[in-house]
Amino acid sequence: MEEPKVMKTQKPKKRERPIEHESASNPDPLKPMERKKKRKAMAKEKHKSLNPPCELKQELIVPMETPSSSSGNNGSPELHLGVFKDLGNGDVGVRVAAAQRLVLELKQVQKAFDKSDEKDEDGDGLMLEAEKDDGLNNCAPSVRYAVRRLIRGVSSSRECARQGFALGLTVLVGALPCVELNSLMKLIVDLLEVSSSMRGQDVKDCLLGRLFAYGAIVRSGRLTNEMTSDKSYIYVKDFVSSLISLASRKQYLQEPSVVIILELVDKLPIEAVLHHILEAPGLREWFEKAPEVGNPDALLLALKIRLKISIDNDVFGKLLPNPYSSSNLFSVDHLSSIANCLKESTFCQPRVHNVWPSLLDILLPNVASKDADTASGSNVVKKPKRHRKSNSSEEDIEKNLRCFWETIIEESLLLSSHDRKHLAFDILLLILPRLPITCVSIVLSSKFVQCLMDVLSTKTSWLYKVAQHFLKELSDWVEYDEVKRAAVIVSLQKHSNGKFDCITRTKTVKDFMAKFTTESGCMLFIQNLMDMFLDEGLVTEEPSDHSQTTDDNSEIGSVEDKDSAGTQGTSEFLKTWVIDSLPSVLKHLKIDQEAKFGVQKEILKFLTVQGLFSSSLGTELTSFDLKEKFRWPKVPTSSTLCRMCIEQLQLLLKNAQKGEGPRSVVGGLEANDLGSYFMRFFSTLCEIPSLSLFRTLSNEDKKALKKLQATEIHLSREERNCGLSTDARKLHSLRYLLIQLLLQVLLRPDEFIEASSELIICCKKAFPSDDLNFSGDDESEDDGTPELMDVLVDTLLSLLPQSSAPMRSAIEQVFKYFCDGVTDDGLLRMLRVIKKDLKPARHQDVDSEDDEEDDDDLLGIEEAEESDEGETAETGNSDEESLDSEAVDGSQLIGKEVSEAPDDSDSGMDDDAMFRMDSYLAQIFREKKNQAGGETAQSQLVLFKLRVLSLLEIYLHENPGKPQVVKVFTYLVQAFVNPNTTEGSEQLGQRILGILQKKIFKAKEHPRGEAVQLSMLESLLEKNLKLASKPFKKKKTAPNPSKKKQSASFNRYKMIKNLAQNSTFWILKVIDSGSFPKSELQRIFDIFKGVLGSYFDSKKSDLKCDFLKEILRRPWLGHHLFGYLVKKCSNAKSKFRQVEALALVTEILKSLVSVNADGSSQDLSKKMLKSHISKLCHLIKELLTNMPDKQAKRAEVRKFCGKVFQTLISLKLSASFLKSLEPEVHAACEAQLGESFLALKRQE
């Protein structure tokens, strides 16, 4: 039978012969260099044969036919060379199909070769490049050629040739037993030999080719299948030895070489691993050098083999402990010995080396599944207890993890390069899915958190994005597990001293805290915070530099050089964060009121115990009445922290009061009343002998506390008896004010004794009881006793200046429910606070109180008028100690109508003679005298005014239609116009303006009733009109004022002018709603006549036409002023004003012919207009005989005349008008007006 040969379609034999001859001749072995040269020559010849001229290319195309049908001209199977091209294709499917086709064809060729009797005959058989010394004597020439070509192909870097040829070699070796392993391994070395002349990429290609070829042998399964014969044992040793030798040449060959060995280990039995793998030449030496040179792949191989054989062996050297156990493996000594191996694993970044997952599998076995089961339990939170271990294995895991983390991560990776820090983050991400919750504090250690903060605090850091990615993964890990989230927050804050977000400039902790939305999760987190506060060992021994800086932008030190800080300072700051965080947990809770009340109680109890009390019998105390155990830190809590606890306690009670729904009282204790619970809890703790308040109180403060407690108990009892009435709301608000005042007494002793006494008196008068008759109280019941509401207002005002935000909220709630009973004196006392001013008057002219001759500074916007401008003081007092504001003329005009009341500008009175309400103002005045500049006193006064304005806003909201609103309006306008009142505080001016706009001008109701005096409205109207007509005047003292000052002055001018116009409209609304008889409105008409007179006659009047049009739209006013307006318009000195005023006349004419007017109204309009026809004729005469020069103005005149004619036609007054018209005016109308006048004549 003829020897199989490779088919070359239609190829002349003269091209094949030289190749065959060269490959088959000279059977003697050649030297390596000669053999290499010969191979190069053969490759060139082969290249020529495979790339013929264009006319022969079609002949060399190998048909893609099935192997079963492929045969040569003589019918023998043949190998198609096109299959090798497909092995290098980029498509994995094409490569797999090519490998399968290659094997099927070679099987057919080898089968035919085995049946042939002429195996040794060289004859016409095509040997191609197969040499007789390659050891493949039992293989067909095509098989030998394929093996050699596949070996050379795995060294090619073209596209996917290396992968495809390795696949082909794997399938071929596994399918053809005739390819002997020893010959194949020798052939791999020979064909992929690295010579001294090779450089760079050529060397790399050869080494990688050998690596892929060895991998193909392992994956072919031949080594495993031939283990039954003794002669195969030496193949495994040699094979492993070759791989170890290959791994020793280049670092990038280590890891894939170990992967190939491990794949072989998995396929071999344990005995073969013991006697052949571990005894392979060079392996012991490789293991021994690994700890010194830092070989992570050797460590990985040792771990995997030890896991396979489960037997100790000294071949591993120092890589594994002997005897082997997880405790010994993760002991500090052994971890230190292999730390170099683990540090060098960064060479494969960004991928994590396989040694880390292998170590973690040993370190945390079967933990991931337990955590998954725990997390899937419908988010049921159970706090893990360290003293309740299910078995000792959990303790061993924690111990091993702690040693591993401290030795490898903290002492090796975090103290090294950026690459190794990056690796530390990656390792923790690998640990997270299997990390027990009890071990969170181990991995989020002090050094790790400090490293994380250092990176995140610098956006230019190389690791910044790595740290951001870590935070994102950490956030995902705790997303649905509140136990994990609480543990992570505690670790981050504990090791950053409560400043993680501040240092890293992120919202990590804040976002984590916002995700506690369930009662169980919130309670767990609160318990963690409490434990952190009480745990004295929570402070790290190596605090970061961050704990020493107060500026967020301060320089941040690295982990290596952290300065040691005082434990006390660090603990104080962290405890501060704990106290601040406790009430904030409630913000995002989405639970019902009852459950929320339970959470509030826990926070309240902790803040009360830690902030108000200290124990004389140690750090623990059990209350049998409350059936609870209370703990305190070993180090006594500082007074600063106690004050913070009280402040947060006040905030908690405020939020509880604000968030309460309708009161639900069912004959007993109130449901979910946090205030009542606090008072009972506080009283119970006060009765425990071994407990004392955190500070020593004076006798007066102690009495005040007892009275406040007794009063609250009485009001609570009264509230339960009132049900849902208005009195119940009053009682409830008073109770919470008493509670806030009690805490304020503890917070600032000796400052609220008098206020407490007065508030208790108010409670006794409002809700009398024999239980509130305290010994020592001397209350006179004579006629001189002030009204209850006056005392209450005085008390509330005296509490406002120094009160906290929760205290002010309680004050506002009390005022809200009692403001309907505020007297005029009480209201006036509040308004006088708004007018108070610490700036001394610029002029002390005692005779200037009634001087209104010079109104140049009416608006209060001229910053520095000359002294002869006549700015006058609001009062006549000229005491040198006067500290009240000297109002400018504008503010004096606005507020003159209340001058009949006792003047509040008691600038010369003694401090002791002030009202109780003025006690805080007296303190401000004293500070003003003692401090240079008095800026502190001024700022405190501004704050006090803002707080009083809040009360006034509540009053206006609750009493929109009361006559007292006019008084409030007067004082607020006066305060806004006076520049000294709002100077230095734009917020104060905007607040006053906002109250005027929202609560007065835009209110749905207006003041009405007999108490609204028309004389007061007349005075207000006159002054606001005068204020609105004032022009803007530049500063006189400075010849060239800055643009900024001019702009500020002009802006203030516009605001005051707009305020005056809105005030005018509001006053007219009040007059409209008062239904005053026309006879009483004569003064109003006279005021507007004066305004219109100034509009026409004075150049100083800055009234706008649109403003006057809005006023004259009111029929009762416009109709009465029509005749006067027409007359003034006829006699106007200014042609511009005359034409502009025509719009005012037109506006009144529109109201005369209203569409909705009935018959009687039409008659009245006709009668009114007929009485003024002569004046209209005169006006038209003046207009037509003196037409304006500008065409636009002449058009306005014609338009006005046309509107007059239409009105006359509508009211049928054409005849009367024409009769009154003089002949020359008649001719002018015909000439100037044309058709519109002719239409009027036709109606006659």
Side-chain angles (χ1 to χ4, degrees):
M1 185 177 181
E2 186 177 358
E3 180 181 310
K5 57 189 176 186
V6 178
M7 183 185 74
K8 293 183 180 281
T9 308
Q10 303 296 329
K11 190 170 183 179
K13 290 187 177 181
K14 63 180 179 180
R15 287 187 177 272
E16 299 176 1
R17 285 299 179 185
I19 300 175
E20 179 184 356
H21 177 72
E22 290 176 9
S23 62
S25 61
N26 193 13
D28 297 334
L30 300 175
K31 293 181 179 180
M33 291 301 295
E34 295 178 357
R35 190 162 53 242
K36 182 176 180 182
K37 293 179 181 178
K38 194 171 184 178
R39 281 201 305 270
K40 288 185 177 181
M42 291 167 58
K44 289 181 181 180
E45 197 67 30
K46 176 183 174 184
H47 181 73
K48 293 179 181 179
S49 64
L50 294 178
N51 295 276
C54 295
E55 62 270 12
L56 297 178
K57 282 189 177 180
Q58 292 295 331
E59 300 180 2
L60 293 177
I61 296 177
V62 180
M64 297 297 291
E65 55 187 25
T66 60
S68 60
S69 62
S70 62
S71 59
N73 295 332
N74 54 5
S76 60
E78 294 181 351
L79 174 65
H80 294 77
L81 296 181
V83 72
F84 293 105
K85 181 179 179 182
D86 292 339
L87 283 176
N89 194 286
D91 188 351
V92 64
V94 175
R95 296 200 301 270
V96 172
Q100 293 174 350
R101 189 165 66 252
L102 172 67
V103 172
L104 290 175
E105 291 182 0
L106 290 178
K107 278 185 177 181
Q108 294 290 337
V109 172
Q110 184 64 32
K111 184 177 180 181
F113 178 76
D114 291 339
K115 293 180 179 179
S116 172
D117 295 333
E118 302 176 359
K119 296 180 181 180
D120 297 331
E121 182 180 335
D122 293 340
D124 295 332
L126 181 60
M127 299 291 291
L128 296 177
E129 295 181 65
E131 298 181 5
K132 290 189 176 180
D133 61 347
D134 59 6
L136 302 177
N137 297 328
N138 295 327
C139 299
S142 297
V143 175
R144 298 169 71 181
Y145 167 76
V147 170
R148 297 171 68 86
R149 182 162 181 182
L150 289 172
I151 293 174
R152 287 197 301 271
V154 293
S155 66
S156 173
S157 58
R158 178 179 61 85
E159 201 174 3
C160 296
R162 186 170 285 129
Q163 293 90 327
F165 279 78
L167 174 63
L169 185 60
T170 302
V171 180
L172 186 148
V173 174
L176 297 177
C178 61
V179 181
E180 297 183 0
L181 291 181
N182 58 343
S183 300
L184 182 61
M185 293 173 60
K186 179 182 177 183
L187 197 59
I188 291 172
V189 175
D190 292 341
L191 294 179
L192 302 176
E193 183 179 8
V194 179
S195 65
S196 59
S197 62
M198 290 185 179
R199 292 290 183 271
Q201 187 63 36
D202 293 337
V203 175
K204 185 175 182 180
D205 287 342
C206 287
L207 293 177
L208 288 176
R210 291 173 65 177
L211 182 69
F212 273 76
Y214 289 145
I217 294 175
V218 172
R219 294 189 176 183
S220 69
R222 286 287 299 277
L223 286 173
T224 307
N225 296 336
E226 296 184 7
M227 278 303 298
T228 55
S229 58
D230 294 339
K231 65 178 181 179
S232 296
Y233 291 160
I234 58 174
Y235 299 156
V236 174
K237 288 185 179 180
D238 293 342
F239 182 81
V240 174
S241 179
S242 299
L243 279 172
I244 295 298
S245 175
L246 185 64
S248 302
R249 301 192 67 164
K250 297 290 182 182
Q251 187 180 33
Y252 61 81
L253 297 174
Q254 283 183 180
E255 189 176 14
S257 298
V258 169
V259 170
I260 295 173
I261 296 175
L262 290 177
E263 191 169 345
L264 178 60
V265 169
D266 290 340
K267 295 180 179 180
L268 293 175
I270 295 178
E271 292 184 359
V273 175
L274 284 171
H275 298 295
H276 298 286
I277 299 288
L278 294 181
E279 294 180 4
L283 183 63
R284 180 185 292 270
E285 292 78 8
W286 197 55
F287 280 154
E288 289 176 355
K289 294 179 181 178
E292 299 177 5
V293 300
N295 189 344
D297 301 292
L299 177 60
L300 174 63
L301 182 60
L303 287 171
K304 290 291 186 180
I305 293 178
R306 179 60 181 76
L307 182 64
K308 173 82 174 181
I309 62 178
S310 300
I311 299 174
D312 291 332
N313 196 310
D314 58 355
V315 71
F316 300 119
K318 296 181 180 179
L319 290 177
L320 296 182
N322 194 357
Y324 175 87
S325 67
S326 60
S327 299
N328 292 336
L329 177 64
F330 294 104
S331 64
V332 175
D333 294 338
H334 181 72
L335 288 173
S336 301
S337 66
I338 63 173
N340 198 27
C341 295
L342 296 174
K343 287 198 297 184
E344 294 300 324
S345 66
T346 54
F347 71 86
C348 59
Q349 277 188 347
R351 182 176 55 84
V352 178
H353 196 280
N354 290 331
V355 70
W356 293 105
S358 301
L359 276 175
L360 297 183
D361 289 338
I362 303 172
L363 181 62
L364 299 172
N366 302 324
V367 176
S369 60
K370 293 180 181 180
D371 258 9
D373 295 340
T374 304
S376 63
S378 67
N379 207 15
V380 176
V381 178
K382 293 183 179 179
K383 183 187 174 186
K385 303 255 183 199
R386 287 187 173 272
H387 59 278
R388 294 183 182 177
K389 301 291 182 182
S390 57
N391 49 52
S392 60
S393 64
E394 294 184 11
E395 296 179 353
D396 294 338
I397 289 174
E398 290 189 22
K399 178 183 176 182
N400 294 341
L401 180 60
R402 180 173 283 104
C403 291
F404 168 78
W405 198 258
E406 293 176 354
T407 306
I408 301 300
I409 304 299
E410 295 181 356
E411 298 177 6
S412 297
L413 298 184
L414 292 182
L415 297 180
S416 189
S417 65
H418 286 314
D419 286 333
R420 289 170 181 164
K421 288 185 176 72
H422 186 182
L423 179 60
F425 287 113
D426 290 337
I427 293 169
L428 183 50
L429 290 180
L430 290 177
I431 290 177
L432 283 182
R434 63 180 80 190
L435 182 68
I437 296 173
T438 55
C439 298
V440 171
S441 59
I442 297 176
V443 296
L444 290 179
S445 60
S446 173
K447 290 184 178 180
F448 186 87
V449 174
Q450 299 298 339
C451 176
L452 180 62
M453 290 191 300
D454 289 343
V455 173
L456 289 172
S457 62
T458 309
K459 288 189 176 182
T460 57
S461 171
W462 182 79
L463 292 173
Y464 183 74
K465 290 186 177 180
V466 176
Q468 278 190 320
H469 173 70
F470 171 77
L471 280 185
K472 181 181 179 300
E473 294 296 324
L474 184 66
S475 178
D476 294 341
W477 185 62
V478 304
E479 180 74 22
Y480 303 106
D481 194 318
E482 294 179 323
V483 182
K484 294 178 180 177
R485 193 182 311 126
V488 168
I489 293 175
V490 169
S491 295
L492 293 179
Q493 292 297 91
K494 181 171 71 173
H495 300 306
S496 64
N497 302 322
K499 299 189 289 184
F500 185 85
D501 283 354
C502 178
I503 294 173
T504 61
R505 300 175 180 88
T506 63
K507 296 182 180 180
T508 304
V509 174
K510 182 179 179 181
D511 293 341
F512 284 172
M513 292 175 60
K515 294 177 182 178
F516 288 104
T517 56
T518 64
E519 179 186 8
S520 57
C522 191
M523 293 294 288
L524 169 72
F525 181 56
I526 289 172
Q527 189 60 49
N528 274 270
L529 292 179
M530 295 176 181
D531 293 341
M532 185 187 300
F533 186 92
L534 298 172
D535 185 11
E536 293 301 322
L538 56 85
V539 181
T540 174
E541 296 179 358
E542 299 182 13
S544 170
D545 287 343
H546 303 308
S547 61
Q548 303 301 311
T549 61
T550 56
D551 184 4
D552 295 346
N553 299 319
S554 300
E555 183 179 354
I556 299 170
S558 61
V559 178
E560 290 90 336
D561 42 19
K562 301 295 177 186
D563 296 332
S564 177
T567 302
Q568 183 66 22
T570 304
S571 176
E572 286 282 313
F573 198 94
L574 185 57
K575 289 180 179 181
T576 298
W577 175 79
V578 172
I579 295 171
D580 286 337
S581 300
L582 281 171
S584 63
V585 178
L586 299 167
K587 291 181 180 178
H588 305 281
L589 279 182
K590 298 178 181 178
I591 54 179
D592 55 26
Q593 286 296 327
E594 185 175 357
K596 187 175 183 179
F597 181 66
V599 178
Q600 290 173 330
K601 284 198 303 183
E602 292 300 318
I603 299 174
L604 182 142
K605 289 189 292 185
F606 177 79
L607 293 175
T608 303
V609 171
Q610 302 301 326
L612 301 183
F613 294 95
S614 60
S615 174
S616 60
L617 297 180
T619 59
E620 290 190 5
L621 177 70
T622 302
S623 171
F624 296 102
D625 294 335
L626 299 173
K627 299 179 181 179
E628 290 190 56
K629 179 185 288 187
F630 303 108
R631 291 190 297 156
W632 287 265
K634 294 179 181 179
V635 177
T637 305
S638 66
S639 59
T640 302
L641 290 178
C642 290
R643 286 195 296 271
M644 287 192 63
C645 287
I646 296 175
E647 291 170 356
Q648 292 301 320
L649 195 57
Q650 288 182 307
L651 183 62
L652 180 67
L653 290 168
K654 168 206 165 188
N655 294 334
Q657 182 186 11
K658 186 180 294 184
E660 288 174 345
R663 307 301 307 158
S664 55
V665 185
V666 191
L669 294 177
E670 292 186 4
N672 303 339
D673 188 343
L674 195 64
S676 293
Y677 182 84
F678 166 73
M679 293 302 291
R680 293 196 302 272
F681 185 73
F682 178 76
S683 300
T684 304
L685 293 182
C686 288
E687 295 173 358
I688 299 177
S690 59
L691 288 184
S692 60
L693 292 174
F694 77 101
R695 72 186 339 154
T696 303
L697 299 178
S698 62
N699 292 331
E700 289 78 5
D701 282 328
K702 290 180 181 179
K703 291 179 181 179
L705 279 183
K706 292 181 180 179
K707 291 181 179 180
L708 288 171
Q709 287 178 268
T711 306
E712 194 279 334
I713 293 174
H714 164 65
L715 295 184
S716 179
R717 185 164 52 248
E718 291 290 330
E719 182 183 356
R720 289 195 294 269
N721 296 332
C722 288
L724 297 176
S725 63
T726 305
D727 286 344
R729 290 192 288 270
K730 291 182 177 180
L731 287 161
H732 190 71
S733 61
L734 276 175
R735 282 182 48 243
Y736 269 84
L737 180 56
L738 289 171
I739 297 171
Q740 293 285 357
L741 187 56
L742 182 147
L743 293 173
Q744 202 73 11
V745 169
L746 293 173
L747 192 63
R748 304 174 66 173
D750 300 329
E751 294 185 17
F752 293 91
I753 298 175
E754 184 178 355
S756 301
S757 176
E758 292 176 353
L759 185 60
I760 292 171
I761 292 173
C762 293
C763 294
K764 291 167 60 177
K765 288 188 175 182
F767 304 98
S769 172
D770 295 336
D771 298 337
L772 298 181
N773 292 328
F774 304 109
S775 59
D777 289 350
D778 50 347
E779 300 179 29
S780 59
E781 299 294 339
D782 56 6
D783 296 337
T785 304
E787 292 287 339
L788 166 64
M789 287 308 304
D790 289 344
V791 178
L792 181 60
V793 169
D794 285 345
T795 304
L796 297 182
L797 289 177
S798 65
L799 289 173
L800 271 181
Q802 296 175 305
S803 60
S804 59
M807 182 83 167
R808 293 195 298 274
S809 177
I811 291 172
E812 290 173 3
Q813 288 294 317
V814 171
F815 186 78
K816 176 182 178 181
Y817 294 117
F818 283 89
C819 66
D820 58 341
V822 173
T823 64
D824 290 346
D825 290 341
L827 184 60
L828 184 62
R829 196 175 297 276
M830 297 168 62
L831 294 172
R832 289 157 71 184
V833 173
I834 306 301
K835 288 180 59 180
K836 284 290 180 182
D837 184 18
L838 294 182
K839 187 174 181 180
R842 286 180 286 179
H843 307 287
Q844 299 294 338
D845 186 3
V846 296
D847 299 325
S848 63
E849 180 180 3
D850 299 323
D851 183 11
E852 297 184 9
E853 294 180 358
D854 192 347
D855 298 326
D856 288 337
D857 199 18
L858 178 64
L859 297 179
I861 58 175
E862 295 81 1
E863 297 179 0
E865 294 289 350
E866 295 291 338
S867 59
D868 59 355
E869 290 296 308
E871 285 189 64
T872 56
E874 191 175 20
T875 66
N877 296 325
S878 58
D879 195 327
E880 61 181 1
E881 295 181 1
S882 173
L883 296 172
D884 294 315
S885 64
E886 181 180 83
V888 294
D889 293 347
S891 59
Q892 183 183 7
L893 290 172
I894 295 299
K896 191 175 177 68
E897 69 280 0
V898 294
S899 59
E900 297 177 0
D903 193 4
D904 63 301
S905 301
D906 302 316
S907 55
M909 68 179 178
D910 187 71
D911 291 341
D912 297 331
M914 286 184 169
F915 292 101
R916 290 189 299 270
M917 180 272 299
D918 291 332
S919 60
Y920 181 64
L921 294 177
Q923 178 182 350
I924 293 178
F925 297 158
R926 285 192 294 269
E927 291 183 14
K928 169 78 174 181
K929 298 171 185 177
N930 296 331
Q931 293 184 0
E935 293 180 359
T936 302
Q938 180 67 27
S939 61
Q940 289 177 340
L941 179 58
V942 169
L943 288 176
F944 186 33
K945 289 182 178 182
L946 288 172
R947 295 169 185 178
V948 175
L949 283 174
S950 297
L951 298 185
L952 288 174
E953 188 173 11
I954 294 173
Y955 180 84
L956 293 172
H957 180 77
E958 298 294 328
N959 307 280
K962 280 194 173 184
Q964 286 79 4
V965 175
V966 177
K967 183 179 293 186
V968 177
F969 160 79
T970 303
Y971 273 82
L972 291 182
V973 172
Q974 183 178 359
F976 183 81
V977 172
N978 184 357
N980 295 333
T981 305
T982 58
E983 185 176 11
S985 175
E986 184 179 354
Q987 180 187 6
L988 180 59
Q990 293 297 329
R991 185 70 187 280
I992 294 174
L993 193 59
I995 294 175
L996 286 169
Q997 292 286 350
K998 295 179 182 179
K999 299 300 180 182
I1000 296 181
F1001 296 155
K1002 296 182 180 180
K1004 295 181 179 180
E1005 297 183 42
H1006 303 292
R1008 62 184 65 197
E1010 296 180 357
V1012 180
Q1013 299 177 3
L1014 186 58
S1015 59
M1016 180 184 296
L1017 297 177
E1018 292 169 355
S1019 178
L1020 283 174
L1021 182 63
E1022 183 177 11
K1023 293 169 178 58
N1024 277 283
L1025 286 171
K1026 193 171 184 180
L1027 195 61
S1029 65
K1030 281 293 179 180
F1032 175 71
K1033 290 193 295 184
K1034 293 183 179 180
K1035 188 175 180 181
K1036 294 182 180 180
T1037 55
N1040 296 311
S1042 65
K1043 292 183 178 180
K1044 185 175 181 181
K1045 287 186 177 181
Q1046 284 187 354
S1047 176
S1049 297
F1050 186 68
N1051 289 335
R1052 176 168 172 77
Y1053 164 78
K1054 289 193 298 183
M1055 285 194 298
I1056 295 179
K1057 190 177 185 68
N1058 184 62
L1059 174 62
Q1061 292 176 355
N1062 290 332
S1063 299
T1064 301
F1065 298 146
W1066 180 77
I1067 294 170
L1068 290 175
K1069 289 180 181 178
V1070 176
I1071 295 174
D1072 287 342
S1073 62
S1075 302
F1076 295 102
K1078 191 173 182 179
S1079 58
E1080 297 181 7
L1081 297 177
Q1082 187 58 44
R1083 173 64 177 154
I1084 302 292
F1085 299 145
D1086 293 341
I1087 291 172
F1088 279 106
K1089 285 181 180 180
V1091 170
L1092 290 174
S1094 299
Y1095 174 74
F1096 283 104
D1097 300 335
S1098 175
K1099 294 182 179 180
K1100 294 183 178 181
S1101 176
D1102 195 41
L1103 287 175
K1104 302 301 180 183
C1105 183
D1106 292 337
F1107 172 59
L1108 293 175
K1109 280 171 62 177
E1110 186 67 29
I1111 293 174
L1112 295 176
R1113 279 179 183 157
R1114 293 159 176 79
W1116 64 271
L1117 185 60
H1119 294 178
H1120 187 86
L1121 297 175
F1122 182 75
Y1124 181 79
L1125 178 61
V1126 173
K1127 181 179 179 181
K1128 295 298 294 183
C1129 190
S1130 302
N1131 302 327
K1133 298 178 181 180
S1134 169
K1135 198 66 179 178
F1136 173 80
R1137 284 288 172 90
Q1138 183 185 48
V1139 175
E1140 186 183 54
L1142 296 179
L1144 303 179
V1145 180
T1146 303
E1147 191 67 30
I1148 299 176
L1149 291 176
K1150 288 180 182 179
S1151 64
L1152 293 176
V1153 290
S1154 176
V1155 178
N1156 299 324
D1158 54 13
S1160 59
S1161 299
Q1162 287 284 350
D1163 293 339
L1164 291 175
S1165 298
K1166 183 176 180 179
K1167 183 179 179 180
M1168 188 276 291
L1169 186 59
K1170 188 174 182 179
S1171 63
H1172 299 297
I1173 281 183
S1174 59
K1175 296 178 183 178
L1176 273 177
C1177 291
H1178 183 66
L1179 175 59
I1180 293 176
K1181 174 185 176 182
E1182 291 295 327
L1183 292 173
L1184 295 181
T1185 55
N1186 299 288
M1187 287 291 280
D1189 296 332
K1190 294 183 179 180
Q1191 184 177 357
K1193 298 298 182 182
R1194 291 199 296 269
E1196 290 184 18
V1197 171
R1198 295 189 186 97
K1199 183 179 178 180
F1200 167 74
C1201 293
K1203 183 62 180 177
V1204 172
F1205 296 160
Q1206 291 177 7
T1207 306
L1208 293 172
I1209 293 172
S1210 299
L1211 296 178
K1212 300 178 181 180
L1213 292 175
S1214 303
S1216 300
F1217 176 78
L1218 292 173
K1219 288 179 181 180
S1220 301
L1221 208 60
E1222 297 178 1
E1224 60 272 17
V1225 180
H1226 192 284
C1229 288
E1230 289 181 344
Q1232 298 285 348
L1233 305 178
E1235 184 59 34
S1236 60
F1237 184 68
L1238 294 177
L1240 178 66
K1241 292 178 65 177
R1242 285 195 293 268
Q1243 293 296 324
E1244 182 184 7

